[in-house]
Amino acid sequence: MTMNNNLINNITMLIELARKADLIDSPFVQKSFKWLSIQWNDQLAQRLQAFLINNSDIDILSDNPFELPHINDLIEGELYLGNVIGREDIPFMHRVNKLPMHILVAGTSGSGKTNFAKILIEQVLYTGVKTVMISDPKSEYNDIALKYPDFLVLRWNDLRFNPFKPPPNVPKNEWQQTVVGHMSQSFNFWEGAISLFLKLIYAENKKGNCPNVFSLLKAVREYQHQFYYKDLVIMSTVASRLELLVHICGEVLSSDCDMLAILRSRNYILQTTGLMPEMESWLLEFLLLWEFNYRLFNPRDSRLSLHIYNECQHRLFNSEKEKNIKK
């Protein structure tokens, strides 16, 4: 018979699991594989997986890039996130102080990723975590806002901030260099554009005003006659991206209001419906960058915050960006 790739992958995974558990010669395992190779049976496959897990140490996949936690680490913590697959009698707990670490939740459509995120949100609210930010491109979290009235629901065009204005206590020049580097990464500036762009930003700083996308776009246009032809070509990429930001996010980026600092003490859902993917990625990465730098320069602020990036993590965190980013 012909099996699809998913079934072949499932059988391959179970075989690898059996080998690492040193149970490949078990009569039950051999009989199960014989029947699964003839005709796939979900219930038998689940029983086989449960048998392999129950009859081996929990960390049999410790050489996997996504290492399974030890059983002792699952039963301690303040956050109850469900039960262990194959060991439904064991609760899956998580410590609040591990929230600053990254968590990847992966699965096919309908497998429960959003439901898991909602359980996590409710648990962290019970334990007193002060700030939860959710990116919600498909408006899947409206029920959270109904259940918890202190949640703000914001569309992306309700935001008001100046990306070149640093978070509290972050040095201006250091922050602006970081923002320009991020924009270069997001919008694929030509090589050499960063130094020329920073030159214009520093010129605006000397005037006593914090630059914004409008003043910088004006400066690019005014200074074009001073550029050599090569620099002019390089800066055309910067100008085109600033024009795109002004066209799409003009209202959002036109204010010097420090709305991001205000939102840091609030739970909010950011709906990005209708925002083009490139702009959505830039915005959500920028919010993460802002939070990181705030934490870095405000170590006494011990409030934990939870950021949930829904349905867009494949654009925010991917191998191509990992190659380009040096730190």
Side-chain angles (χ1 to χ4, degrees):
M1 64 175 287
T2 301
M3 289 190 290
N4 63 39
N5 288 336
N6 282 340
L7 298 185
I8 294 173
N9 290 338
N10 287 336
I11 290 179
T12 302
M13 181 271 292
L14 288 170
I15 291 174
E16 185 67 17
L17 194 63
R19 285 175 177 163
K20 291 187 177 182
D22 200 23
L23 293 169
I24 196 71
D25 295 325
S26 164
F28 172 73
V29 172
Q30 289 189 344
K31 186 176 180 179
S32 297
F33 281 130
K34 178 181 178 181
W35 283 107
L36 289 174
S37 64
I38 297 172
Q39 185 172 1
W40 182 259
N41 182 292
D42 286 317
Q43 291 183 341
L44 176 58
Q46 290 173 8
R47 288 203 302 272
L48 174 58
Q49 183 174 4
F51 173 84
L52 295 172
I53 292 175
N54 290 334
N55 289 277
S56 61
D57 188 46
I58 196 72
D59 62 356
I60 54 175
L61 294 180
S62 58
D63 59 339
N64 190 290
F66 299 102
E67 187 173 319
L68 287 175
H70 191 274
I71 196 69
N72 292 336
D73 296 327
L74 300 179
I75 59 177
E76 297 180 359
E78 302 86 352
L79 308 177
Y80 170 66
L81 303 180
N83 294 80
V84 179
I85 296 177
R87 293 291 302 273
E88 279 70 17
D89 58 315
I90 299 177
F92 194 112
M93 310 298 290
H94 193 71
R95 293 186 181 277
V96 172
N97 61 10
K98 287 188 177 181
L99 280 180
M101 301 173 65
H102 294 167
I103 301 174
L104 171 68
V105 182
T108 58
S109 297
S111 59
K113 300 185 295 294
T114 301
N115 188 53
F116 169 81
K118 290 178 180 179
I119 292 172
L120 178 60
I121 291 165
E122 293 197 5
Q123 287 292 306
V124 299
L125 291 176
Y126 290 148
T127 55
V129 172
K130 299 299 182 184
T131 309
V132 179
M133 189 281 276
I134 308 165
S135 73
D136 188 17
K138 295 183 178 179
S139 301
E140 295 179 292
Y141 289 88
N142 287 339
D143 54 333
I144 291 286
L146 294 174
K147 191 172 182 179
Y148 299 95
D150 64 325
F151 258 95
L152 292 175
V153 179
L154 298 171
R155 273 187 53 79
W156 62 270
N157 50 9
D158 291 329
L159 287 174
R160 295 291 183 273
F161 66 94
N162 177 0
F164 296 96
K165 183 177 181 179
N169 299 321
V170 178
K172 183 194 292 185
N173 284 353
E174 186 169 337
W175 171 249
Q176 290 171 346
Q177 291 175 42
T178 301
V179 171
V180 171
H182 172 239
M183 291 180 70
S184 174
Q185 168 68 33
S186 299
F187 301 139
N188 297 315
F189 288 169
W190 286 15
E191 188 174 354
I194 291 180
S195 60
L196 291 171
F197 195 19
L198 285 173
K199 180 180 178 180
L200 294 181
I201 289 175
Y202 295 154
E204 290 296 300
N205 285 333
K206 288 181 179 179
K207 296 178 182 179
N209 298 319
C210 183
N212 56 43
V213 291
F214 295 89
S215 64
L216 290 172
L217 179 57
K218 181 180 178 182
V220 170
R221 290 168 175 165
E222 288 178 349
Y223 291 137
Q224 278 183 343
H225 66 279
Q226 299 181 21
F227 291 135
Y228 294 107
Y229 176 74
K230 180 181 177 182
D231 292 344
L232 184 61
V233 173
I234 290 173
M235 287 304 291
S236 66
T237 63
V238 176
S240 66
R241 292 309 177 183
L242 288 177
E243 288 173 351
L244 184 64
L245 280 171
V246 167
H247 179 69
I248 295 177
C249 303
E251 284 190 68
V252 173
L253 308 178
S254 62
S255 173
D256 280 339
C257 173
D258 204 2
M259 191 171 181
L260 300 185
I262 297 172
L263 287 175
R264 201 185 179 278
S265 61
R266 296 295 304 270
N267 298 320
Y268 68 101
I269 299 169
L270 183 63
Q271 296 180 333
T272 54
T273 310
L275 188 60
M276 63 184 292
E278 185 181 37
M279 289 293 106
E280 182 187 42
S281 298
W282 172 80
L283 174 60
L284 296 178
E285 287 178 356
F286 178 85
L287 295 177
L288 191 61
L289 194 67
W290 193 98
E291 174 74 18
F292 173 78
N293 279 268
Y294 177 88
R295 285 177 177 271
L296 199 62
F297 287 91
N298 295 274
R300 293 185 179 180
D301 187 346
S302 59
R303 292 175 297 177
L304 285 175
S305 61
L306 175 67
H307 287 226
I308 295 179
Y309 289 83
N310 187 44
E311 298 292 341
C312 54
Q313 64 283 349
H314 59 289
R315 293 198 308 274
L316 301 187
F317 311 104
N318 61 52
S319 58
E320 190 60 34
K321 289 182 179 179
E322 188 174 328
K323 292 176 186 176
N324 295 336
I325 296 174
K326 301 301 181 185
K327 64 177 181 178

